[in-house]
């Protein structure tokens, strides 16, 4: 759970970050919380982000997938899409997350797919649909991120793994 895997990025995005000395595939992960929850990113671009998360280990006392776990998956995927839309000069910061839980999941993997609703200069909004292994919708979420200019302090916080 939480091990690094190869994420499928568009080559032009990899090249854009490499020009700034950032090894995007080495840097990229679901973050500490996402890693603890077993989130795996399978595909990432500004147009579509796909990731999975196991139900096991992410349940509430009744044995169902915890709504907060769905929120973590949704915010992770939407934030990645927003970050890729913003490009190398901006940071995506979540400012609004709305989740509607449709049905419970007790086992297996859930898959989230984030697609853009709005991609502007200062904000990006993504819809995230989370389904179970039978392709039944478990949760629908919407995330809006503020896109702010990167600062020298932000660049200094970059983990060693992503520095070229």
């Amino acid at each position: 759970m939480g091990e690094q895997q190869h994420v499928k990025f568009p080559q032009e995005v990899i090249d854009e970050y490499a020009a700034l000395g950032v090894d995007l595939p080495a840097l990229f992960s679901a973050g500490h919380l996402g890693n603890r929850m077993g989130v795996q990113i399978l595909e990432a671009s500004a147009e579509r982000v796909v990731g999975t998360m196991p139900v096991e280990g992410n349940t509430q006392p009744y044995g169902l997938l915890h709504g907060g776990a769905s929120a973590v998956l949704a915010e992770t995927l939407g934030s990645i899409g927003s970050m890729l839309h913003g490009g190398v000069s901006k940071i995506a910061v979540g400012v609004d997350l709305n989740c509607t839980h449709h049905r419970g999941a007790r086992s297996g993997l859930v898959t989230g797919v984030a697609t853009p609703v709005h991609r502007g200069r200062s904000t990006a909004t993504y819809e995230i649909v989370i389904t179970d292994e039978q392709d039944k919708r478990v949760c629908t979420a919407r995330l809006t991120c503020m896109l702010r200019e990167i600062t020298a302090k932000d660049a200094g916080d970059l983990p060693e793994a992503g520095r070229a």
Side-chain angles (χ1 to χ4, degrees), residues 7-142:
V7 180
K8 180 181 166 192
F9 285 103
Q11 188 60 48
E12 64 271 12
V13 172
I14 293 171
D15 294 342
E16 182 180 12
Y17 280 83
L20 296 173
V22 177
D23 182 353
L24 188 61
L27 169 67
F28 204 80
S29 76
H32 295 294
L33 178 60
N35 284 340
R36 272 197 304 271
M37 297 181 73
V39 173
Q40 297 291 317
I41 308 303
L42 306 178
E43 174 185 334
S45 72
E47 291 76 31
R48 177 179 156 95
V49 182
V50 180
T52 62
M53 181 179 67
V55 173
E56 184 178 343
N58 294 315
T59 58
Q60 39 90 312
Y62 299 114
L64 297 171
L65 178 64
H66 195 290
S70 293
V72 167
L73 179 59
E75 184 149 357
T76 299
L77 300 178
S79 293
I80 291 167
S82 295
M83 182 266 305
L84 291 170
H85 164 66
V88 296
S89 66
K90 295 196 177 179
I91 291 177
V93 180
V95 295
D96 182 63
L97 176 65
N98 173 298
C99 298
T100 301
H101 306 286
H102 305 292
R103 69 175 355 100
R106 291 188 178 276
S107 63
L109 284 177
V110 290
T111 300
V113 178
T115 54
V117 174
H118 165 78
R119 291 186 294 172
R121 287 179 292 153
S122 61
T123 63
T125 301
Y126 280 75
E127 177 184 60
I128 304 94
V129 175
I130 300 173
T131 57
D132 63 16
E133 291 181 322
Q134 289 73 45
D135 206 29
K136 292 186 178 180
R137 192 176 292 221
V138 172
C139 176
T140 303
R142 186 189 68 246

